[in-house]
Amino acid sequence: MIDRVTPAVIAVVCGVLLAVLLFVPFVAREYRWRGGLGAGRMLVVLGFVVHCWALMTYTLLPLPEVGPGFCADPGEYAPQLAPLDFLAASGGVGALMRDPMVGQALLNIALFVPLGMFVRHLFRTGRAGTVAIGFATSLLIETTQLTGVWFVYPCAYRLFDVDDLLMNTLGAAFGLLLAPVLELVGGKAPTRPMTPRPVTAKRRLLGMACDVAALVLTGAALHSGVVAVLLLATGAPSMVLPDPAQALLNAWLPGLLVLVVPTLVGSGGTLGQRAVLLRPALPDGVLPGRPRLLVRVFFGSGQYVLLVGFADLGPSEVNRLAVGFALLSAVAVWFTAEHRGISAWLAGLSMMDTRMPRSKFRKRKGDPFTPGETILVGSLPTFEPGGRDLRDLVDPRGVGAHRRSDR
């Protein structure tokens, strides 16, 4: 009996792992190309990644073991090059409905319907391009089967079937017609991605999630790299690093690379904040000095990193304290003014969109905005708390910058 569950489980697991590895670059790319990122968009992209894995697992697994009689019958997997051969071999209508080869053809169509939908929706390809990508993908799979996974195996272990090629391409064409359904979940094509967006709690939490993902992946890479080098140097079968080394590689050094270094360079945001196009700012929008930035990092993500590192050195209960602090910080983002969170509140900072223009027309550095005041830079308004919507006063030619206040 054909196992159809195991390939699906492998596809989901591998897809989720790949999504975690690419999470931060994906978020950064979406904010720069689309202007933002919603849950529906993430769900659609995750579905596409899982489906790509499913195409491989369902067409190549299980991998066979090579034994003495592996290639004993060269004609067992000879290419099937007659189009629609499964119809000719089925007989009448009743036999056609009961023929397992017909069921296999329908499964080949169904397997490629999501591919057509995803390609059309995510990459905005044309009709011919979507069908061509479906055909090329199927041809790659069939060629991989014909060559024994590109000569990894001494002969083919699956059948190259031109009917599979035709049915897969047909499935991609059907998916092309169903692609508009994904717009109900993943949204439509972006407009004006470089227009500033509001600083919301969800956006702040997404930036924090990017920081955590970057910390975990950086720590895992550093720890694995050091262990691999030591194993090669010593020839030992296994190795466990001492607790101080684990604290350094798993928490403190990643914190320095992901949190502190980006904070001291450029816009002053952490890696996660940069991914979602946020930066810390003083109340007047000026970039804070480094002492304030370091205070914000220390009482924010840096505190979590320190606690995680101390958990490797001391009692495991410190991990609970670290998790509690992370949850408290996440909740504070919802309830603090302007979604600043604990660390920005303690440092006297706020968060602003990096696409927001920085005014150069202030009386002096640190001059706060008065209530009801708005800065207009070119044709793009910047709205401060208490300001009113002055879009109707924006110079449509985008010339110069203006400072206005309520009369």
Side-chain angles (χ1 to χ4, degrees):
M1 184 175 180
I2 299 176
D3 181 10
R4 301 194 186 280
V5 176
T6 302
V9 173
I10 295 175
V12 170
V13 172
C14 293
V16 170
L17 289 177
L18 183 60
V20 171
L21 290 174
L22 299 179
F23 178 66
V24 177
F26 168 70
V27 172
R29 182 261 188 195
E30 289 293 294
Y31 266 86
R32 284 152 183 79
W33 285 26
R34 297 177 59 89
L37 177 62
R41 174 74 174 179
M42 286 194 289
L43 184 62
V44 169
V45 173
L46 177 61
F48 173 65
V49 174
V50 171
H51 180 68
C52 289
W53 278 102
L55 291 177
M56 291 186 287
T57 57
Y58 273 104
T59 56
L60 299 178
L61 298 181
L63 297 175
E65 295 183 4
V66 179
F70 185 74
C71 298
D73 185 4
E76 182 180 4
Y77 293 105
Q80 197 290 108
L81 303 178
L84 304 180
D85 180 68
F86 67 95
L87 293 178
S90 297
V93 176
L96 184 68
M97 298 301 295
R98 295 188 299 269
D99 193 336
M101 296 301 296
V102 175
Q104 182 64 36
L106 294 177
L107 287 176
N108 283 330
I109 294 175
L111 185 62
F112 270 65
V113 169
L115 179 66
M117 296 174 66
F118 286 129
V119 169
R120 174 70 166 172
H121 175 75
L122 293 176
F123 303 105
R124 303 293 169 179
T125 55
R127 295 181 179 87
T130 301
V131 175
I133 290 175
F135 173 81
T137 303
S138 180
L139 181 61
L140 177 62
I141 292 172
E142 294 297 318
T143 305
T144 302
Q145 294 174 339
L146 177 65
T147 57
V149 193
W150 300 100
F151 310 106
V152 172
Y153 288 90
C155 59
Y157 67 92
R158 286 206 173 197
L159 179 66
F160 178 99
D161 194 336
V162 70
D163 287 338
D164 291 350
L165 191 60
L166 294 176
M167 295 302 104
N168 292 158
T169 306
L170 183 61
F174 284 146
L176 166 67
L177 301 177
L178 297 174
V181 175
L182 292 180
E183 292 187 355
L184 302 176
V185 181
K188 298 184 178 180
T191 57
R192 303 183 66 183
M194 295 313 295
T195 300
R197 265 64 166 184
V199 179
T200 62
K202 292 181 180 179
R203 187 173 172 187
R204 291 278 285 113
L205 292 174
L206 182 59
M208 295 168 67
C210 288
D211 278 333
V212 172
L215 287 168
V216 172
L217 293 176
T218 302
L222 291 173
H223 186 277
S224 301
V226 169
V227 169
V229 170
L230 292 177
L231 289 176
L232 290 175
T234 61
S238 63
M239 178 171 294
V240 177
L241 296 178
D243 291 343
Q246 293 193 38
L248 178 64
L249 295 173
N250 295 336
W252 296 338
L253 188 53
L256 180 66
L257 297 175
V258 174
L259 303 176
V260 178
V261 172
T263 295
L264 298 178
V265 178
S267 65
T270 63
L271 195 63
Q273 291 165 355
R274 291 169 187 259
V276 297
L277 296 180
L278 292 177
R279 72 173 181 90
L282 293 171
D284 58 2
V286 172
L287 181 65
R290 290 180 176 175
R292 279 181 182 262
L293 293 174
L294 291 176
V295 168
R296 184 191 63 82
V297 170
F298 178 79
F299 288 104
S301 305
Q303 195 66 221
Y304 170 77
V305 169
L306 288 174
L307 291 173
V308 171
F310 283 127
D312 288 330
L313 298 177
S316 59
E317 287 75 11
V318 180
N319 265 326
R320 299 178 184 177
L321 185 60
V323 172
F325 178 81
L327 293 176
L328 178 63
S329 299
V331 172
V333 167
W334 286 92
F335 295 103
T336 50
E338 300 175 356
H339 307 295
R340 293 189 297 172
I342 296 175
S343 59
W345 175 73
L346 290 174
L349 303 176
S350 60
M351 302 302 297
M352 67 180 296
D353 195 306
T354 57
R355 294 165 292 194
M356 195 74 77
R358 303 179 188 181
S359 171
K360 298 181 181 179
F361 296 87
R362 299 196 179 132
K363 296 178 182 179
R364 62 184 183 275
K365 182 177 180 180
D367 180 22
F369 288 98
T370 57
E373 189 176 37
T374 302
I375 291 294
L376 299 178
V377 181
S379 60
L380 183 61
T382 301
F383 304 105
E384 296 293 329
R388 62 187 177 91
D389 191 339
L390 296 178
R391 290 189 180 94
D392 57 329
L393 300 179
V394 176
D395 186 348
R397 297 168 297 176
V399 179
H402 314 276
R403 181 181 177 115
R404 302 178 187 270
S405 61
D406 290 334
R407 300 295 184 185

